[in-house]
Amino acid sequence: MHRLVFAMTGKDLQSLPELHNFLEGLRGQENRKGDVLLLKDQTAWSFSQEEIITKDGGVYVQVTAS
């Protein structure tokens, strides 16, 4: 995920809000078709987010790039 985000942004994002802000900033741009992000290397990526709750009540956010 780190290499993908660096390829997209040229930066090392440190938090989920930074990723959200980056993706939101792409709305309406040529390299974004709906929820799919098109990179310069001609790959296409879609992101999803899910809240995971562990048995002991820990809450985590899972971000999947596919």
Coordinates of all heavy atoms in Angstrom, one line a residue:
M1 N 0.8 -1.2 0.0 CA 0.0 0.0 0.0 C 0.9 1.3 0.0 O 0.5 2.2 -0.6 CB -0.9 0.0 1.2 CG -1.9 1.2 1.3 SD -3.2 1.3 0.1 CE -4.5 0.6 0.9
H2 N 2.0 1.2 0.7 CA 2.9 2.4 0.8 C 3.4 2.8 -0.6 O 3.4 3.9 -1.0 CB 4.1 2.2 1.7 CG 3.6 2.0 3.2 ND1 3.3 3.1 3.9 CD2 3.6 0.9 3.9 CE1 2.9 2.7 5.1 NE2 3.1 1.3 5.2
R3 N 3.8 1.8 -1.4 CA 4.3 2.1 -2.7 C 3.2 2.6 -3.6 O 3.5 3.5 -4.5 CB 5.0 0.8 -3.3 CG 6.3 0.5 -2.7 CD 7.1 -0.5 -3.4 NE 6.4 -1.7 -3.7 CZ 7.0 -2.8 -4.0 NH1 8.3 -2.9 -4.2 NH2 6.3 -3.9 -4.2
L4 N 2.0 2.1 -3.5 CA 0.9 2.5 -4.3 C 0.6 4.0 -4.0 O 0.5 4.8 -4.9 CB -0.3 1.7 -4.1 CG -1.6 2.1 -4.8 CD1 -1.5 2.2 -6.3 CD2 -2.8 1.2 -4.4
V5 N 0.5 4.3 -2.7 CA 0.2 5.7 -2.4 C 1.3 6.6 -2.8 O 1.0 7.7 -3.3 CB -0.1 5.8 -0.8 CG1 -0.2 7.2 -0.4 CG2 -1.4 5.1 -0.5
F6 N 2.5 6.2 -2.7 CA 3.6 7.1 -3.1 C 3.6 7.3 -4.6 O 3.8 8.4 -5.1 CB 5.0 6.5 -2.7 CG 6.1 7.4 -3.0 CD1 6.4 8.5 -2.2 CD2 6.9 7.3 -4.2 CE1 7.4 9.4 -2.4 CE2 7.9 8.1 -4.4 CZ 8.2 9.2 -3.6
A7 N 3.2 6.2 -5.4 CA 3.1 6.3 -6.8 C 2.0 7.3 -7.2 O 2.1 8.0 -8.2 CB 2.9 5.0 -7.5
M8 N 0.9 7.3 -6.4 CA -0.2 8.2 -6.7 C 0.1 9.7 -6.3 O -0.3 10.6 -7.0 CB -1.4 7.8 -5.9 CG -2.0 6.5 -6.4 SD -3.5 6.0 -5.5 CE -3.4 6.7 -3.9
T9 N 0.7 9.9 -5.2 CA 0.8 11.2 -4.6 C 2.2 11.8 -4.7 O 2.4 13.0 -4.6 CB 0.5 11.2 -3.1 OG1 1.4 10.4 -2.4 CG2 -0.9 10.6 -2.9
G10 N 3.3 10.9 -4.8 CA 4.6 11.4 -4.7 C 5.0 11.8 -3.3 O 6.0 12.3 -3.0
K11 N 4.1 11.4 -2.3 CA 4.3 11.6 -0.9 C 4.1 10.4 -0.1 O 3.5 9.4 -0.5 CB 3.3 12.7 -0.4 CG 3.4 14.0 -1.1 CD 2.3 14.9 -0.6 CE 2.3 16.2 -1.3 NZ 1.2 17.1 -0.9
D12 N 4.6 10.4 1.1 CA 4.4 9.3 2.1 C 3.3 9.7 3.0 O 3.5 10.5 4.0 CB 5.7 9.0 2.8 CG 5.5 7.9 3.8 OD1 4.6 7.1 3.7 OD2 6.3 7.8 4.8
L13 N 2.1 9.4 2.7 CA 0.9 9.8 3.6 C 1.0 9.0 4.9 O 1.3 7.9 4.9 CB -0.4 9.5 2.8 CG -0.6 10.2 1.5 CD1 -2.0 9.9 0.9 CD2 -0.4 11.7 1.6
Q14 N 0.7 9.7 5.9 CA 0.8 9.2 7.3 C -0.5 8.8 8.0 O -0.5 8.3 9.1 CB 1.6 10.2 8.2 CG 3.0 10.4 7.7 CD 3.8 9.1 7.8 OE1 3.8 8.4 8.8 NE2 4.5 8.8 6.7
S15 N -1.6 9.2 7.4 CA -2.9 9.0 8.1 C -4.0 8.8 7.1 O -3.9 9.1 5.9 CB -3.3 10.2 9.0 OG -3.6 11.3 8.2
L16 N -5.1 8.2 7.6 CA -6.3 7.9 6.7 C -6.9 9.2 6.3 O -7.3 9.4 5.1 CB -7.3 7.1 7.5 CG -8.5 6.6 6.7 CD1 -8.1 5.9 5.5 CD2 -9.4 5.8 7.6
P17 N -7.0 10.3 7.1 CA -7.5 11.6 6.6 C -6.7 12.1 5.4 O -7.3 12.7 4.5 CB -7.5 12.5 7.8 CG -7.6 11.5 9.0 CD -6.8 10.3 8.6
E18 N -5.4 11.9 5.5 CA -4.6 12.4 4.4 C -4.9 11.7 3.1 O -5.0 12.3 2.0 CB -3.1 12.2 4.6 CG -2.5 13.2 5.6 CD -1.0 12.9 5.9 OE1 -0.6 11.8 6.0 OE2 -0.3 13.9 6.1
L19 N -5.2 10.4 3.1 CA -5.6 9.6 2.0 C -6.9 10.1 1.5 O -7.2 10.3 0.3 CB -5.6 8.1 2.3 CG -6.1 7.2 1.1 CD1 -5.1 7.4 -0.1 CD2 -6.1 5.8 1.6
H20 N -7.9 10.3 2.4 CA -9.2 10.8 2.0 C -9.1 12.1 1.3 O -9.8 12.3 0.3 CB -10.1 10.9 3.3 CG -10.6 9.6 3.8 ND1 -11.3 9.5 4.9 CD2 -10.5 8.3 3.4 CE1 -11.7 8.3 5.2 NE2 -11.2 7.5 4.2
N21 N -8.3 13.0 1.9 CA -8.2 14.3 1.3 C -7.6 14.3 -0.1 O -8.0 15.0 -1.0 CB -7.3 15.2 2.2 CG -8.0 15.7 3.4 OD1 -9.2 15.6 3.6 ND2 -7.2 16.0 4.4
F22 N -6.6 13.4 -0.3 CA -6.0 13.3 -1.6 C -7.0 12.7 -2.6 O -7.2 13.3 -3.7 CB -4.8 12.3 -1.6 CG -4.3 11.9 -2.9 CD1 -3.6 12.8 -3.7 CD2 -4.6 10.7 -3.5 CE1 -3.1 12.5 -4.9 CE2 -4.2 10.4 -4.7 CZ -3.5 11.3 -5.5
L23 N -7.7 11.7 -2.3 CA -8.7 11.1 -3.2 C -9.9 12.1 -3.4 O -10.3 12.2 -4.6 CB -9.3 9.8 -2.6 CG -8.2 8.6 -2.5 CD1 -8.8 7.4 -1.8 CD2 -7.7 8.2 -3.9
E24 N -10.3 12.8 -2.4 CA -11.4 13.8 -2.6 C -10.9 14.9 -3.6 O -11.7 15.4 -4.4 CB -11.8 14.4 -1.3 CG -13.0 15.2 -1.3 CD -14.3 14.5 -1.8 OE1 -14.5 13.3 -1.5 OE2 -15.1 15.2 -2.5
G25 N -9.7 15.3 -3.5 CA -9.1 16.3 -4.3 C -9.1 15.9 -5.8 O -9.0 16.8 -6.7
L26 N -9.2 14.6 -6.1 CA -9.2 14.2 -7.5 C -10.5 14.2 -8.1 O -10.6 13.9 -9.3 CB -8.6 12.8 -7.5 CG -7.1 12.6 -7.2 CD1 -6.7 11.2 -7.2 CD2 -6.2 13.5 -8.1
R27 N -11.6 14.4 -7.4 CA -12.9 14.4 -8.0 C -13.0 15.3 -9.2 O -12.6 16.4 -9.1 CB -14.0 14.8 -6.9 CG -14.2 13.7 -5.9 CD -15.6 13.7 -5.4 NE -15.8 12.8 -4.4 CZ -16.1 11.5 -4.6 NH1 -16.2 11.1 -5.8 NH2 -16.2 10.6 -3.6
G28 N -13.6 14.7 -10.3 CA -13.8 15.5 -11.5 C -12.5 15.7 -12.3 O -12.6 16.2 -13.4
Q29 N -11.4 15.2 -11.9 CA -10.2 15.3 -12.7 C -10.1 14.1 -13.7 O -10.8 13.1 -13.6 CB -8.9 15.2 -11.9 CG -8.8 16.5 -11.0 CD -7.5 16.6 -10.3 OE1 -6.5 15.9 -10.6 NE2 -7.4 17.4 -9.3
E30 N -9.3 14.3 -14.8 CA -9.2 13.3 -15.9 C -8.8 11.9 -15.4 O -9.2 10.9 -16.0 CB -8.2 13.8 -16.9 CG -8.8 15.0 -17.7 CD -7.8 15.4 -18.8 OE1 -6.9 14.6 -19.1 OE2 -8.0 16.5 -19.3
N31 N -7.9 11.9 -14.4 CA -7.4 10.6 -13.9 C -8.3 9.9 -13.0 O -7.9 8.9 -12.4 CB -6.0 10.8 -13.3 CG -6.0 11.7 -12.1 OD1 -6.9 12.5 -12.0 ND2 -5.0 11.6 -11.3
R32 N -9.5 10.4 -12.9 CA -10.5 9.7 -12.0 C -11.8 9.5 -12.7 O -12.4 10.4 -13.3 CB -10.7 10.6 -10.7 CG -11.7 10.0 -9.8 CD -11.3 10.1 -8.4 NE -12.3 9.5 -7.6 CZ -12.4 9.6 -6.3 NH1 -11.5 10.4 -5.7 NH2 -13.3 9.0 -5.6
K33 N -12.2 8.2 -12.8 CA -13.5 7.9 -13.4 C -14.4 7.2 -12.4 O -14.2 6.1 -12.0 CB -13.2 6.9 -14.6 CG -12.2 7.3 -15.6 CD -12.7 8.5 -16.4 CE -11.7 8.9 -17.4 NZ -11.9 10.2 -17.9
G34 N -15.3 8.0 -11.8 CA -16.1 7.6 -10.7 C -15.3 7.3 -9.5 O -14.5 8.1 -9.1
D35 N -15.3 6.0 -9.0 CA -14.5 5.6 -7.9 C -13.2 5.0 -8.3 O -12.5 4.4 -7.4 CB -15.3 4.7 -7.0 CG -16.5 5.4 -6.3 OD1 -16.3 6.6 -6.1 OD2 -17.5 4.8 -5.9
V36 N -12.9 5.0 -9.5 CA -11.6 4.4 -10.0 C -10.6 5.4 -10.3 O -10.9 6.4 -11.0 CB -11.9 3.5 -11.3 CG1 -10.6 2.9 -11.8 CG2 -12.9 2.4 -10.9
L37 N -9.4 5.2 -9.8 CA -8.3 6.1 -10.0 C -7.4 5.5 -11.1 O -6.9 4.4 -11.0 CB -7.5 6.3 -8.7 CG -6.3 7.2 -8.8 CD1 -6.7 8.7 -9.1 CD2 -5.5 7.2 -7.5
L38 N -7.1 6.3 -12.1 CA -6.2 5.8 -13.2 C -4.8 6.4 -13.0 O -4.7 7.6 -13.0 CB -6.8 6.2 -14.6 CG -8.2 5.8 -14.8 CD1 -8.7 6.4 -16.1 CD2 -8.3 4.3 -14.8
L39 N -3.8 5.6 -13.0 CA -2.4 6.0 -12.8 C -1.7 6.2 -14.1 O -2.1 5.6 -15.1 CB -1.6 5.1 -11.9 CG -2.2 4.9 -10.4 CD1 -1.3 4.0 -9.6 CD2 -2.4 6.2 -9.8
K40 N -0.6 6.9 -14.1 CA 0.2 7.1 -15.3 C 0.7 5.8 -15.9 O 0.9 5.7 -17.1 CB 1.4 8.0 -15.0 CG 1.0 9.4 -14.6 CD 2.2 10.2 -14.3 CE 1.8 11.6 -13.8 NZ 2.9 12.4 -13.4
D41 N 0.9 4.8 -15.1 CA 1.4 3.5 -15.7 C 0.2 2.7 -16.3 O 0.4 1.5 -16.6 CB 2.1 2.7 -14.7 CG 1.3 2.2 -13.5 OD1 0.0 2.5 -13.5 OD2 1.8 1.5 -12.6
Q42 N -0.9 3.3 -16.5 CA -2.1 2.7 -17.1 C -2.8 1.6 -16.2 O -3.6 0.8 -16.6 CB -1.8 2.1 -18.4 CG -1.3 3.1 -19.4 CD -2.2 4.3 -19.6 OE1 -3.4 4.1 -19.9 NE2 -1.7 5.5 -19.5
T43 N -2.5 1.6 -14.9 CA -3.2 0.7 -13.9 C -4.4 1.5 -13.4 O -4.4 2.7 -13.3 CB -2.3 0.2 -12.8 OG1 -1.8 1.4 -12.1 CG2 -1.2 -0.6 -13.3
A44 N -5.4 0.8 -13.0 CA -6.6 1.4 -12.4 C -6.8 0.8 -11.0 O -6.7 -0.4 -10.8 CB -7.8 1.0 -13.3
W45 N -7.2 1.7 -10.1 CA -7.3 1.3 -8.7 C -8.6 1.8 -8.1 O -9.0 2.9 -8.4 CB -6.1 1.8 -7.8 CG -4.9 1.2 -8.2 CD1 -4.0 1.7 -9.1 CD2 -4.3 0.0 -7.7 NE1 -2.9 0.8 -9.2 CE2 -3.1 -0.2 -8.3 CE3 -4.7 -0.9 -6.7 CZ2 -2.3 -1.3 -8.0 CZ3 -3.9 -2.0 -6.4 CH2 -2.7 -2.2 -7.1
S46 N -9.2 1.0 -7.3 CA -10.4 1.4 -6.5 C -10.1 1.1 -5.1 O -9.4 0.2 -4.7 CB -11.6 0.5 -7.0 OG -12.7 0.8 -6.3
F47 N -10.6 2.0 -4.2 CA -10.4 1.9 -2.8 C -11.7 1.7 -2.0 O -12.7 2.2 -2.4 CB -9.8 3.2 -2.3 CG -8.4 3.4 -2.8 CD1 -8.2 4.0 -4.0 CD2 -7.3 3.0 -2.1 CE1 -6.9 4.2 -4.5 CE2 -6.0 3.2 -2.5 CZ -5.8 3.8 -3.8
S48 N -11.6 0.8 -1.0 CA -12.8 0.6 -0.1 C -12.3 0.7 1.3 O -11.1 0.4 1.6 CB -13.4 -0.7 -0.4 OG -12.6 -1.8 -0.2
Q49 N -13.2 0.9 2.2 CA -12.9 1.1 3.6 C -13.9 0.3 4.4 O -15.1 0.3 4.1 CB -12.9 2.6 4.0 CG -12.6 2.9 5.4 CD -12.6 4.3 5.7 OE1 -12.0 5.1 4.9 NE2 -13.2 4.7 6.8
E50 N -13.4 -0.4 5.4 CA -14.3 -1.2 6.3 C -13.8 -1.0 7.8 O -12.6 -1.0 8.0 CB -14.2 -2.6 5.9 CG -15.1 -3.6 6.7 CD -15.0 -5.0 6.2 OE1 -14.2 -5.3 5.3 OE2 -15.7 -5.8 6.7
E51 N -14.7 -1.0 8.7 CA -14.4 -0.9 10.1 C -14.3 -2.4 10.6 O -15.3 -3.2 10.4 CB -15.4 -0.1 10.9 CG -15.1 0.1 12.3 CD -16.1 1.0 13.0 OE1 -15.9 2.2 13.0 OE2 -17.0 0.4 13.6
I52 N -13.3 -2.7 11.3 CA -13.0 -4.0 11.8 C -13.1 -3.9 13.3 O -12.4 -3.1 13.9 CB -11.7 -4.6 11.4 CG1 -11.5 -4.6 9.9 CG2 -11.5 -6.0 12.0 CD1 -12.5 -5.5 9.1
I53 N -13.9 -4.8 14.0 CA -13.9 -4.8 15.5 C -13.4 -6.2 15.9 O -14.0 -7.2 15.5 CB -15.4 -4.5 16.0 CG1 -15.8 -3.2 15.4 CG2 -15.4 -4.6 17.5 CD1 -17.3 -2.9 15.7
T54 N -12.4 -6.2 16.8 CA -11.9 -7.4 17.2 C -12.7 -8.0 18.4 O -13.6 -7.3 18.9 CB -10.4 -7.2 17.7 OG1 -10.4 -6.3 18.8 CG2 -9.5 -6.6 16.6
K55 N -12.4 -9.2 18.8 CA -13.2 -9.8 19.8 C -13.1 -9.1 21.2 O -14.0 -9.1 22.0 CB -12.7 -11.3 20.1 CG -13.0 -12.2 18.9 CD -12.5 -13.6 19.2 CE -12.8 -14.5 18.1 NZ -12.3 -15.9 18.2
D56 N -11.9 -8.4 21.4 CA -11.7 -7.7 22.6 C -12.2 -6.2 22.5 O -12.0 -5.4 23.4 CB -10.3 -7.7 23.1 CG -9.3 -7.1 22.1 OD1 -9.8 -6.6 21.0 OD2 -8.1 -6.9 22.5
G57 N -12.9 -5.9 21.4 CA -13.5 -4.6 21.3 C -12.7 -3.5 20.6 O -13.1 -2.4 20.5
G58 N -11.5 -3.9 20.2 CA -10.6 -3.0 19.4 C -11.2 -2.6 18.1 O -11.8 -3.5 17.4
V59 N -11.2 -1.4 17.7 CA -11.7 -0.9 16.5 C -10.6 -0.5 15.5 O -9.7 0.4 15.9 CB -12.7 0.2 16.7 CG1 -13.3 0.7 15.4 CG2 -13.8 -0.2 17.6
Y60 N -10.6 -1.0 14.3 CA -9.6 -0.6 13.3 C -10.3 -0.3 12.0 O -11.4 -0.8 11.8 CB -8.6 -1.8 13.1 CG -7.9 -2.2 14.4 CD1 -8.4 -3.1 15.3 CD2 -6.7 -1.6 14.6 CE1 -7.7 -3.5 16.4 CE2 -6.0 -2.0 15.8 CZ -6.5 -2.9 16.7 OH -5.8 -3.2 17.8
V61 N -9.6 0.4 11.2 CA -10.1 0.7 9.9 C -9.2 0.0 8.9 O -8.0 0.2 8.9 CB -10.1 2.3 9.6 CG1 -10.5 2.5 8.1 CG2 -11.0 3.0 10.5
Q62 N -9.8 -0.8 8.0 CA -9.1 -1.5 7.0 C -9.4 -0.8 5.6 O -10.6 -0.6 5.3 CB -9.6 -3.0 6.9 CG -9.0 -3.7 5.7 CD -9.5 -5.2 5.8 OE1 -9.1 -5.9 6.7 NE2 -10.3 -5.5 4.8
V63 N -8.3 -0.4 4.9 CA -8.5 0.2 3.6 C -7.9 -0.8 2.6 O -6.8 -1.3 2.8 CB -7.7 1.5 3.5 CG1 -7.8 2.1 2.1 CG2 -8.3 2.5 4.5
T64 N -8.7 -1.1 1.6 CA -8.3 -2.1 0.6 C -8.2 -1.4 -0.8 O -9.1 -0.7 -1.1 CB -9.3 -3.2 0.5 OG1 -9.4 -3.8 1.8 CG2 -8.9 -4.3 -0.5
A65 N -7.1 -1.6 -1.4 CA -6.9 -1.1 -2.8 C -7.0 -2.3 -3.7 O -6.2 -3.2 -3.5 CB -5.6 -0.3 -2.9
S66 N -7.8 -2.2 -4.7 CA -7.9 -3.3 -5.7 C -8.0 -2.8 -7.1 O -8.3 -1.7 -7.3 CB -9.1 -4.2 -5.3 OG -10.3 -3.5 -5.3

